[in-house]
Amino acid sequence: MAVKHRSEINVKVGLDENRVPEELHWSADDGAINNMEAKAMLLSVWDSSEKDTYKINLWTKEMPVNEMIQFFHQTLTSMADTFEAATSDDKMSATMRDFCDYYAEKMGIKRQ
């Protein structure tokens, strides 16, 4: 298959003197998102030749802990959904969702 369209996603990180994130902004051409502010991001990229995942995990100083807890819950839930869509493994996806429920209960948040 030939590439028919290219799309860009950009992330801009403003750092303090110690290279700690002060601000995050992102843009996505196809999503009509332009310079949207974010307080945290998790990015994983699979390197097939090395069979390894490269990760960029960033959050600003302004990211409240209670929002980080919710951000992780929503990310874990989304990963379970994505895993099911990618593998059709209903059993493991359900197990992952069970953990998400457990996490929500232990962290005192309502499942979103």
Side-chain angles (χ1 to χ4, degrees):
M1 284 179 105
V3 173
K4 302 289 184 191
H5 177 77
R6 293 200 186 271
S7 181
E8 273 194 42
I9 299 171
N10 294 295
V11 177
K12 293 181 184 175
V13 183
L15 304 170
D16 71 7
E17 65 277 357
N18 296 312
R19 301 184 61 84
V20 174
E22 288 277 354
E23 59 183 42
L24 296 170
H25 288 87
W26 69 289
S27 301
D29 294 343
D30 281 355
I33 296 168
N34 186 26
N35 207 37
M36 182 181 284
E37 183 180 9
K39 295 292 182 195
M41 66 167 278
L42 305 173
L43 175 67
S44 298
V45 179
W46 178 249
D47 181 340
S48 187
S49 64
E50 294 294 323
K51 303 293 188 254
D52 197 8
T53 303
Y54 296 95
K55 297 162 279 299
I56 300 173
N57 303 315
L58 300 172
W59 58 94
T60 67
K61 297 176 188 178
E62 301 301 317
M63 180 68 170
V65 172
N66 65 322
E67 289 183 20
M68 182 63 90
I69 290 167
Q70 188 172 356
F71 174 58
F72 264 80
H73 181 260
Q74 291 177 5
T75 299
L76 292 167
T77 301
S78 176
M79 289 174 66
D81 295 342
T82 302
F83 182 80
E84 184 173 25
T87 66
S88 299
D89 189 330
D90 300 352
K91 282 183 151 180
M92 184 52 68
S93 301
T95 300
M96 292 169 74
R97 287 188 191 93
D98 287 344
F99 173 76
C100 292
D101 291 340
Y102 173 80
Y103 173 93
E105 178 184 330
K106 291 299 180 186
M107 299 308 289
I109 59 174
K110 293 183 179 184
R111 185 173 173 144
Q112 306 266 328

